[in-house]
Amino acid sequence: MGFGKSKQPQAPPPPPQQAPPTIDEIVKDEKRNIGKAQRDLDREANRLKQEEQKLIMEIKNLAAKGQNDNARVMAKQLVKNREQQKRLMTTKYNMGGVATNMTIAASQAKAGQVIGSANQAMTSINQTMDHQAMLKNVQQYEMQSEKMNMAQEMMDDAIDGGMNAELDAESEDILAQVLDDVALGKGSRANAVPQSKRVAGAASASADADLDAEVEQMLRKLKG
């Protein structure tokens, strides 16, 4: 009776490799660290501010008691306290500048990546492009476009010639009609003027006859 071979325990699979952090993730983490450090600086500055107020009160009390030497020692501590507060604020503002520079650097890095990708794409396109064929196509397109433009100009000239002939004929008809209307108008005015004179003469003669009859009637009455 044979003995089977014992199975060797299998090694656990290696953990999956994590992808390297992106630029945005790195900037986000660093900004978080900078923000935490700035908050720590604010807490230390507030503590120094409270200590400053206490030193001022102690200096006033010592001066009031006439303990000028002790007051002078406390004043030196007060000066050091205020200098420390200034250094803390300077450090905080410098850290804010670091965060801003980090954001700018990240933007530039991403722009560089985009440009690199664009260069690779353009390189691939240029490698697959037949420049001679493209140049030939462009030349053929220009030649065909020139032919089309010439045909269009010839058609436009033919249409304009026909339209000009029709326009000239129509213009002559309009001019003749206007001249006829003008001539008729002059004839009507010429006939109307003598007629008015005849009417005026007849009216004048009738008025003279009436006046003569009236004068004869008045003479007869005077004689009678």
Side-chain angles (χ1 to χ4, degrees):
M1 183 175 180
F3 295 96
K5 295 183 179 180
S6 61
K7 293 183 180 180
Q8 297 293 332
Q10 295 181 354
Q17 295 182 353
Q18 294 182 353
T22 63
I23 295 176
D24 291 335
E25 292 174 348
I26 294 173
V27 172
K28 184 177 180 181
D29 292 339
E30 294 302 325
K31 282 186 175 181
R32 186 185 299 111
N33 295 331
I34 290 174
K36 183 178 181 300
Q38 287 178 325
R39 288 190 295 272
D40 293 339
L41 292 174
D42 286 335
R43 283 192 291 268
E44 181 63 18
N46 291 332
R47 187 188 66 78
L48 291 175
K49 191 70 175 176
Q50 294 175 358
E51 183 178 346
E52 176 188 5
Q53 297 300 322
K54 292 179 180 180
L55 289 172
I56 292 172
M57 293 298 298
E58 291 180 4
I59 292 170
K60 289 181 179 180
N61 292 331
L62 293 172
K65 295 178 182 179
Q67 299 179 8
N68 294 334
D69 292 338
N70 294 332
R72 187 174 294 107
V73 174
M74 301 299 293
K76 291 180 180 179
Q77 293 182 9
L78 179 61
V79 171
K80 293 180 180 180
N81 180 289
R82 290 175 176 175
E83 290 178 353
Q84 181 65 19
Q85 291 186 54
K86 290 180 181 179
R87 285 194 293 269
L88 290 176
M89 289 299 99
T90 301
T91 304
K92 176 183 176 182
Y93 296 144
N94 288 336
M95 294 181 71
V98 170
T100 302
N101 292 334
M102 190 184 308
T103 302
I104 296 173
S107 300
Q108 293 175 347
K110 288 191 288 187
Q113 290 178 353
V114 172
I115 293 173
S117 300
N119 289 334
Q120 292 178 358
M122 292 176 65
T123 302
S124 300
I125 293 172
N126 288 329
Q127 289 176 351
T128 58
M129 183 181 299
D130 189 348
H131 296 280
Q132 294 297 328
M134 182 180 67
L135 179 61
K136 183 178 179 180
N137 292 333
V138 171
Q139 292 174 348
Q140 289 180 353
Y141 174 79
E142 292 178 351
M143 183 175 61
Q144 297 300 327
S145 297
E146 185 66 22
K147 289 181 180 179
M148 184 180 297
N149 292 333
M150 292 176 61
Q152 185 65 36
E153 290 179 359
M154 294 174 61
M155 185 179 297
D156 292 341
D157 292 340
I159 294 174
D160 290 341
M163 291 182 65
N164 289 333
E166 294 178 359
L167 185 61
D168 292 340
E170 187 176 356
S171 300
E172 292 295 331
D173 293 341
I174 293 174
L175 180 60
Q177 183 178 357
V178 171
L179 293 176
D180 292 341
D181 293 341
V182 172
L184 290 175
K186 289 182 178 180
S188 299
R189 288 194 296 272
N191 295 330
V193 171
Q195 180 67 23
S196 61
K197 290 182 178 180
R198 289 194 296 270
V199 172
S204 177
S206 177
D208 292 340
D210 293 339
L211 181 59
D212 292 340
E214 186 176 356
V215 170
E216 291 294 333
Q217 186 178 2
M218 291 178 63
L219 290 174
R220 283 194 301 271
K221 288 182 180 180
L222 292 174
K223 290 180 180 179

